[in-house]
Amino acid sequence: MGIFICKICEKECDGINSLRGHSIQKHNISAEQIYVDYALNYLEPKCECGCGKKPPFISINKGFSRFIQSHHNRVVGKNNFHKDPNTHKKAIETQKKNWKDGKYKGWWENDNEETRNKIEGIKEKIRNNKERGIKISKSLTGVPKSKESKLKSSKTQKERLKNPDILKKMSETRLKWMRENSKVKTSKLEDVFSLILTDIGLIKDIDFIHNHLISSIKSFFDFYLPKKNILIEVDGDFYHCNPDTNFKLPKYEIQKKNLSNDKRKNSWCKNHNITLIRYWEKDINERPEWVINDLKRKLLM
């Protein structure tokens, strides 16, 4: 390409690439500006569609693009046949016919495990896209579903729910959402016990976790001490039938349900070699010193 002389320091360069390297290193001038100054003689290029804007720079050897992206469509006869409605319609019909005749084949039509996994991965990614879900919900608000759409949605959901892994994940997601969005009921007794844990020097969300989720049994334990691997339940005298009170025999459905849940939690902790400590409401309210001393003793074990 001949000799190029730097217009700042008058250094001779063997070609425009050599000049580019010199100018960038010594004078901090971009390759785009070098091309304008030396190849175009200071004339800024314009998009050939006539919009007057500068097209993108490609490289020092190729210079600038002739058009800004998609602006070639503005020039009559410049690869813009699809702007003609009739031509566009004909192209769509041809594509549909080719698909129908089997001339085209999509990768998703391959019946193998790799393809099925790929499709399921795409579906899962779409389902987990919260922003996309919110946009769809907003756009469909107030729009009645057709009977065909309802049947299709129902069929798809039934097929998904046959997969035990999906059921498990849905349940875990729901329980996690309940905890993070304060949908798990917190009793006054739990608030009192939180203060007891704080008073003995434990820090919330570090030394103890309130409402700890065990997804495998779909249950929340009142407190979890991760450093000690200890779970704690504070049981209301009425709701859990304290044997040292007048409520020792379950009379109501809620009491029976709570006792059943207590047995399930006890069994899970025993099977997983996790210490479970239970304190009654009566002890927490009437003799908090004993509860504190007992808790300290068990934490030191």
Side-chain angles (χ1 to χ4, degrees):
M1 292 182 67
I3 301 297
F4 285 81
I5 300 175
C6 177
K7 296 178 180 180
I8 298 176
C9 65
E10 298 185 349
K11 176 181 172 61
E12 291 189 359
C13 299
D14 186 17
I16 196 167
N17 261 318
S18 177
L19 176 65
R20 175 189 63 81
H22 165 76
S23 299
I24 290 173
Q25 291 179 10
K26 299 296 182 180
H27 308 302
N28 197 27
I29 300 175
S30 68
E32 179 179 336
Q33 191 59 50
I34 293 166
Y35 191 86
V36 171
D37 294 348
Y38 291 84
L40 302 181
N41 198 22
Y42 298 101
L43 294 175
E44 289 281 349
K46 305 294 182 183
C47 178
E48 292 186 15
C49 78
C51 68
K53 296 180 181 179
K54 184 170 72 174
F57 179 70
I58 302 172
S59 69
I60 195 70
N61 293 319
K62 294 184 177 180
F64 289 83
S65 174
R66 293 174 60 194
F67 298 93
I68 292 174
Q69 186 178 7
S70 78
H71 280 210
H72 64 277
N73 291 324
R74 301 178 179 182
V75 181
V76 178
K78 183 63 182 176
N79 296 331
N80 59 353
F81 64 91
H82 59 279
K83 292 293 181 179
D84 183 347
N86 294 326
T87 306
H88 185 50
K89 183 179 179 181
K90 186 178 179 181
I92 292 174
E93 289 174 352
T94 301
Q95 283 191 343
K96 287 182 178 179
K97 185 177 184 301
N98 288 340
W99 277 107
K100 188 176 181 180
D101 294 344
K103 292 182 180 180
Y104 298 154
K105 186 177 181 181
W107 61 266
W108 56 88
E109 295 181 274
N110 296 320
D111 189 15
N112 55 53
E113 186 176 357
E114 182 182 355
T115 301
R116 288 192 291 272
N117 290 338
K118 186 175 181 180
I119 291 172
E120 189 56 39
I122 292 171
K123 288 181 178 178
E124 191 66 21
K125 187 176 180 180
I126 292 172
R127 283 194 290 266
N128 292 333
N129 189 333
K130 294 182 179 180
E131 290 183 3
R132 178 179 179 273
I134 292 171
K135 286 181 181 179
I136 292 174
S137 296
K138 286 183 177 179
S139 63
L140 293 179
T141 300
V143 179
K145 288 186 177 181
S146 65
K147 187 176 180 180
E148 182 182 356
S149 177
K150 288 179 180 178
L151 290 172
K152 186 177 180 180
S153 297
S154 177
K155 184 179 178 180
T156 302
Q157 189 67 357
K158 285 178 181 178
E159 287 297 321
R160 287 189 69 232
L161 294 179
K162 289 179 181 178
N163 187 330
D165 292 334
I166 290 177
L167 277 175
K168 182 181 177 181
K169 189 171 182 180
M170 289 174 65
S171 177
E172 290 175 351
T173 302
R174 175 64 180 172
L175 290 169
K176 185 179 179 182
W177 178 87
M178 288 175 65
R179 183 181 185 278
E180 292 177 350
N181 292 273
S182 301
K183 298 299 181 181
V184 182
K185 292 182 179 179
T186 300
S187 66
K188 291 181 179 178
L189 186 62
E190 290 172 32
D191 293 335
V192 172
F193 196 81
S194 289
L195 293 175
I196 290 176
L197 292 174
T198 303
D199 288 341
I200 65 173
L202 300 183
I203 303 172
K204 188 176 181 180
D205 295 329
I206 296 177
D207 297 317
F208 73 90
I209 298 169
H210 188 195
N211 287 328
H212 180 63
L213 169 65
I214 302 296
S215 57
S216 60
I217 55 173
K218 301 179 182 179
S219 294
F220 287 92
F221 284 79
D222 294 334
F223 298 95
Y224 176 55
L225 281 58
K227 295 179 181 178
K228 299 289 184 178
N229 199 25
I230 291 176
L231 288 164
I232 300 175
E233 288 278 274
V234 289
D235 300 325
D237 295 337
F238 172 79
Y239 289 102
H240 294 265
C241 301
N242 187 344
D244 294 330
T245 65
N246 295 328
F247 314 118
K248 57 185 177 181
L249 296 177
K251 295 181 181 180
Y252 304 97
E253 193 62 34
I254 186 65
Q255 293 174 314
K256 295 175 183 178
K257 182 179 178 181
N258 286 335
L259 290 177
S260 176
N261 288 338
D262 290 344
K263 288 180 180 179
R264 182 158 50 88
K265 289 180 177 181
N266 293 342
S267 177
W268 184 88
C269 290
K270 183 178 180 181
N271 292 337
H272 289 80
N273 197 28
I274 295 177
T275 301
L276 173 61
I277 303 173
R278 290 185 177 274
Y279 290 111
W280 287 109
E281 175 185 5
K282 187 175 182 180
D283 292 328
I284 294 171
N285 289 334
E286 296 181 5
R287 50 175 189 163
E289 296 83 3
W290 175 86
V291 172
I292 291 172
N293 291 331
D294 184 70
L295 182 58
K296 286 181 177 178
R297 180 177 59 82
K298 289 177 178 176
L299 292 182
L300 292 174
M301 290 175 62

